[in-house]
Amino acid sequence: MDQPAKLNADSLGIVESIIMGIAGTAPAYSIEITTSTIIGTAGTLSPASILVCGLIMFGIAYAFINMNRALASAGTSYSWVSMVFGRALGFFAGWALLVLCCVFMVSAMIPAANATLLIFDRPLMNNVHYVTLIAAAWLTVVSAVVVKGIKLTSYVQVLMTIVEGVILLVIIVASFFIFPHAAEHAFSWRWFWPFDFTPKLFANGALVAIFFFYGWDVTMNLSEETRDANRTPGRAAFWSMVFLMVFFLVFIVIALLGLSDAEIQHYNTNIIFAIAEKLFGPTWGYVAIIAVLLSTVGTVETQMLQFTRTLFAKSRDGALHHRYARLHPVWRTPHVAIFFIWITGLVLLLMSSYLPTINVILQDSITAIGFQICFYLGLTGFACGWYYRKVLTQGPWVAVTHVIWPVASGVFLFFIALYSIPTFDWVTNIVGMGGIAIGAVPLLLNRKRIWRTAPG
C-alpha cells in the first residue's frame, strides 16, 4: 500500500492542548449526568471517592506522560502496549478504546439532545425518539467540524470551553456564598476521608468516579499534531488532571450542600440546572444548560479525535485495513475514519431508541464504558511499569512516577473492573466485555499484516 500522509504536525500549542484535555473529560457533562449516580452510591463519601480515583488516574496520567516521551504516537495505548507486550495485547488495548468511543456516542449525544430540548421544547425531552433525532443532528454537526481539520476543531473547542467556564465559575462562586448558610447536608471533612468506606461501597462508587476523569488522554492522541510532540501533550495532560480533580471535588461538595437527597434523585441528569435554578431562578437554570450542552458537544468532538487517531494509527501499522489511514488531501484529517464513526454513531443511536427510557440508555452505557476504560488504561499502566523497570534504582521519585504509581493504578483499575462484573446486567455485559472480546475477529482477519509490520 502507499505510505499514508502525515497528520498536520505542529498545529497545537500548550494552551490548546490543555483545553483539549479538559474538554475531553467534559467537566459540566460529567457533573450533570454522573453526580446523582455517585451520590446515590457513595452518599456523603462521594468527594472521597472522587479524590481516591483522581489519585489513581494521576498514576495513569504519569504512565501516559512517560510513554509519550518514549514514543509520541496518535495510537497511544495501542502503540505503547504493542511496543512493550506485543501486537496482540496492543491490538486489544486499542480496540477497547475504539469500542468505548462508539458507545460514548450514545451516552454523550443523548444528554446533548436532552439539553437542547430542555431549552427549546421541554415536554419532549423524555421522548426517546425525539431525543434520538436531535442527537443524530448534533453528531452530524460535530463530525463536519472534525473532518475540516485540527485547527478549526481546536478553535471551536477553545470558544466553547471559555463560554462553559465563565458560566460554571459564576455558579461556583455564588454557591459558596449562599449554600453554606442553609446546607442540605451539613459540611464535614469526613466527606473526604476514604477510610470510612466499606470495600463493597468503595468498589461500587469507584467505577462511576473513574468515568468522571475519562477523556484527558486525548492530548496524547493529538501528539503527532502538537508542537514538541514528546513533551507538550504530557504537560497538558498533567495540568488538565490538576484542574479536573479540583473542579470535580468542588462541584460534588456544592451538590451536597445545595441539594437534598430527594432533589438529587428528582433532577437526576440535570444537576447543574437544579443548582443554578436554586441559586438564581429559572432563567439561570437554562443558562447553565447551555454550559452542559457546550461541554457535551466538546467531549464528543474530542472522542471523535481519539477514535479517528487510534483507528488511523492501527491502520497505518497494518493492524486494520489501510483505508482508515487515508488522509484528506486538503484538511489532513483521517476522513474515512471520521465517516466511519459518524455512521456507527447513527446506527447505535437508532438501536438505543428502542430501549425504554433515557435513564436506561445512560446507565447501561456509562457502566459499560467504565469497564472498558479500566481495561485499556490499566494495560497502559502495566506497559509503563515494565518499560521503565530499570529506573527503579534511579531515585524514589523516578521509581514512583515511572513504575510504582502507574502499576499500582493499573492493578486498581483491573480489580475494580473484575469486582464489578457480577453487578452488571446482561446489556452491560454484552456491551462492556463483549465489545472487547469481539476484537478477536478483526485481530484474526488481519493477523498476517499485524505480525508482518511493526507499530508506528
Side-chain angles (χ1 to χ4, degrees):
M1 79 178 216
D2 297 332
Q3 280 293 102
K6 292 183 178 180
L7 293 163
N8 204 357
D10 299 330
S11 296
L12 302 177
I14 182 66
V15 173
E16 296 153 303
S17 194
I18 290 173
I19 288 177
M20 283 292 189
I22 293 171
T25 305
Y29 163 79
S30 298
I31 286 291
E32 185 81 342
I33 73 161
T34 317
T35 298
S36 62
T37 304
I38 194 167
I39 291 178
T41 302
T44 55
L45 287 175
S46 297
S49 188
I50 292 291
L51 182 61
V52 173
C53 289
L55 292 174
I56 295 300
M57 273 297 188
F58 257 111
I60 298 299
Y62 272 113
F64 272 75
I65 291 167
N66 295 325
M67 294 307 293
N68 186 70
R69 285 176 181 163
L71 174 65
S73 171
T76 60
S77 294
Y78 151 72
S79 299
W80 302 328
V81 176
S82 294
M83 182 174 69
V84 176
F85 294 134
R87 302 302 302 277
L89 202 54
F91 185 94
F92 278 106
W95 183 263
L97 177 59
L98 294 178
V99 171
L100 77 89
C101 286
C102 290
V103 177
F104 194 83
M105 293 300 103
V106 177
S107 66
M109 284 286 79
I110 285 175
N114 233 331
T116 304
L117 290 171
L118 183 60
I119 295 170
F120 295 106
D121 199 340
R122 190 166 183 171
L124 292 177
M125 63 178 288
N126 289 318
N127 185 303
V128 172
H129 299 295
Y130 276 103
V131 168
T132 303
L133 185 64
I134 300 297
W138 270 118
L139 182 62
T140 303
V141 171
V142 173
S143 302
V145 171
V146 172
V147 80
K148 288 286 287 182
I150 189 62
K151 290 303 291 183
L152 175 63
T153 303
S154 67
Y155 293 152
V156 171
Q157 195 66 261
V158 168
L159 178 62
M160 290 193 298
T161 303
I162 289 172
V163 175
E164 173 193 350
V166 170
I167 295 171
L168 293 176
L169 181 61
V170 171
I171 294 172
I172 288 170
V173 172
S175 295
F176 281 112
F177 272 107
I178 295 171
F179 288 156
H181 299 296
E184 296 288 348
H185 300 85
F187 178 80
S188 171
W189 288 109
R190 295 196 73 85
W191 290 0
F192 301 90
W193 186 245
F195 298 104
D196 281 354
F197 280 110
T198 63
K200 182 178 180 181
L201 180 62
F202 178 72
N204 289 341
L207 204 61
V208 180
I210 286 166
F211 181 81
F212 270 93
F213 290 100
Y214 168 66
W216 53 266
D217 51 317
V218 67
T219 61
M220 308 297 179
N221 290 100
L222 299 174
S223 60
E224 295 182 35
E225 298 157 270
T226 305
R227 292 189 285 276
D228 193 3
N230 292 96
R231 295 189 178 276
T232 299
R235 291 198 293 268
F238 177 84
W239 289 113
S240 297
M241 278 295 299
V242 171
F243 170 85
L244 290 165
M245 180 177 283
V246 172
F247 175 83
F248 289 140
L249 284 171
V250 165
F251 239 102
I252 290 292
V253 169
I254 287 172
L256 287 169
L257 290 174
L259 301 176
S260 65
D261 291 336
E263 287 173 321
I264 291 169
Q265 185 177 9
H266 171 72
Y267 283 99
N268 197 12
T269 57
N270 290 299
I271 293 296
I272 297 179
F273 174 84
I275 292 171
E277 190 174 51
K278 202 166 187 178
L279 288 169
F280 306 113
T283 301
W284 255 91
Y286 287 101
V287 173
I289 289 300
I290 294 174
V292 175
L293 181 59
L294 293 174
S295 179
T296 307
V297 172
T299 194
V300 170
E301 186 178 273
T302 59
Q303 283 293 293
M304 277 198 170
L305 292 171
Q306 283 195 281
F307 180 94
T308 55
R309 271 48 176 184
T310 301
L311 190 57
F312 166 81
K314 295 187 80 169
S315 301
R316 178 178 60 187
D317 292 346
L320 290 172
H321 196 284
H322 61 82
R323 71 170 70 91
Y324 302 113
R326 294 173 188 160
L327 297 181
H328 192 278
V330 177
W331 302 325
R332 307 285 291 277
T333 54
H335 59 292
V336 178
I338 294 168
F339 179 78
F340 177 80
I341 185 61
W342 174 64
I343 291 295
T344 303
L346 292 179
V347 171
L348 288 173
L349 282 169
L350 178 63
M351 291 171 59
S352 73
S353 69
Y354 289 95
L355 290 174
T357 67
I358 301 297
N359 287 340
V360 169
I361 297 171
L362 290 175
Q363 183 177 351
D364 288 343
S365 59
I366 288 171
T367 308
I369 287 170
F371 179 86
Q372 292 156 355
I373 291 170
C374 289
F375 180 79
Y376 93 90
L377 291 185
L379 282 177
T380 308
F382 295 146
C384 179
W386 186 252
Y387 183 82
Y388 285 100
R389 64 193 183 279
K390 294 181 181 178
V391 307
L392 279 169
T393 58
Q394 294 182 12
W397 180 245
V398 174
V400 167
T401 57
H402 288 67
V403 181
I404 298 170
W405 201 351
V407 170
S409 297
V411 170
F412 174 85
L413 291 176
F414 266 77
F415 167 75
I416 291 299
L418 294 173
Y419 187 91
S420 302
I421 289 174
T423 68
F424 293 165
D425 59 24
W426 67 271
V427 174
T428 306
N429 274 316
I430 290 174
V431 176
M433 292 186 291
I436 296 174
I438 203 172
V441 176
L443 176 66
L444 292 173
L445 290 175
N446 294 279
R447 63 189 182 280
K448 291 183 180 178
R449 282 201 303 266
I450 290 172
W451 275 276
R452 189 172 61 241
T453 57

